């Protein structure tokens, strides 16, 4: 049986790292958000969709749902950036852009919190990763909706933390696939 998590995690990480770099100011958020479009749409969005389909074909329904929702986020984020940087969506001013972005972020924040709660039977490492995703989205939502740019660097740090956790899970998956022992993942919060 194949392991779609290897493909899903390895293609998720470049986009997560790019998002973190954007939040901490490494990428100019005022003039360069369009530069993120290829990596978030193709690296994460497309390949997480492939991993989700692969997982579904293996009857790994929870894995398919997890990769599917992350694929939906990254693909829609790429389209949101494309539309906002090119004027496709016809959003005329900064207040309207902020309204669209905060609605988008709130919707995904709610979904990611639900995902976290629904997956508490997974080992603790997964829960920790999802909790940091939730924190990142809450910070981004509050930063956009409240106009508080000071929250974005903190969101960048939490993004790097969830990337590190998912990288740890990725290393475990590769290690086991290549004949190694499982790395400690922690006990699930719900048995």
């Amino acid at each position: 049986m194949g392991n779609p998590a290897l493909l899903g995690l390895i293609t998720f990480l470049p986009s997560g790292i790019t998002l973190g770099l954007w939040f901490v100011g490494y990428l100019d958020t005022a003039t360069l958000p369009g530069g993120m479009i290829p990596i978030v749409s193709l690296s994460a969005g497309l390949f997480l969709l492939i991993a989700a389909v692969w997982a579904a074909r293996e009857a790994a329904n929870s894995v398919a749902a997890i990769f599917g929702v992350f694929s939906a986020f990254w693909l829609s984020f790429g389209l949101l950036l494309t539309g906002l940087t090119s004027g496709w969506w016809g959003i005329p001013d900064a207040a309207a852009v902020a309204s669209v972005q905060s609605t988008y972020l709130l919707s995904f924040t709610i979904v990611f919190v639900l995902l976290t709660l629904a997956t508490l039977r997974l080992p603790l490492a997964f829960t920790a990763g999802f909790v940091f995703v939730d924190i990142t989205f809450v910070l981004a939502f509050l930063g956009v909706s409240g106009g508080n740019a000071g929250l974005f660097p903190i969101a960048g740090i939490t993004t790097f933390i969830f990337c590190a956790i998912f990288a740890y899970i990725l290393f475990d998956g590769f290690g086991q696939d290549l004949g190694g022992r499982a790395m400690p993942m922690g006990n699930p919060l719900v048995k």
Side-chain angles (χ1 to χ4, degrees):
M1 184 169 150
N3 185 357
L6 297 179
L7 174 64
L9 289 169
I10 197 86
T11 58
F12 170 87
L13 288 171
S15 293
I17 293 166
T18 300
L19 182 64
L21 291 170
W22 190 37
F23 279 145
V24 298
Y26 181 80
L27 297 173
D28 181 0
T29 58
T31 60
L32 193 62
M36 294 175 57
I37 295 167
I39 198 164
V40 301
S41 299
L42 298 176
S43 177
L46 176 62
F47 284 95
L48 281 167
L49 179 62
I50 292 167
V53 170
W54 178 6
R57 291 184 54 85
E58 298 283 349
N61 300 323
S62 295
V63 174
I66 291 166
F67 287 143
V69 74
F70 278 102
S71 172
F73 165 72
W74 289 112
L75 287 170
S76 62
F77 186 54
L79 284 173
L80 179 67
L81 289 175
T82 300
L84 292 176
T85 57
S86 66
W88 288 358
W89 308 133
I91 301 171
D93 57 38
V97 168
S99 176
V100 168
Q101 289 174 330
S102 49
T103 301
Y104 175 81
L105 288 167
L106 179 59
S107 298
F108 271 103
T109 299
I110 292 167
V111 169
F112 285 133
V113 169
L114 290 172
L115 172 70
T116 302
L117 295 173
T119 58
L120 291 176
R121 293 182 186 274
L122 288 173
L124 186 58
F126 292 90
T127 301
F130 294 148
V131 165
F132 279 100
V133 168
D134 298 342
I135 293 168
T136 299
F137 273 79
V138 167
L139 290 168
F141 168 72
L142 293 173
V144 169
S145 64
N148 185 353
L151 294 174
F152 295 124
I154 301 167
I157 293 166
T158 59
T159 301
F160 294 139
I161 293 170
F162 75 66
C163 285
I165 293 168
F166 291 135
Y168 178 83
I169 295 168
L170 173 69
F171 271 80
D172 173 66
F174 269 108
Q176 288 187 57
D177 192 61
L178 297 172
R181 293 184 181 176
M183 294 166 57
M185 291 288 147
N187 293 326
L189 295 177
V190 175
K191 303 257 181 198

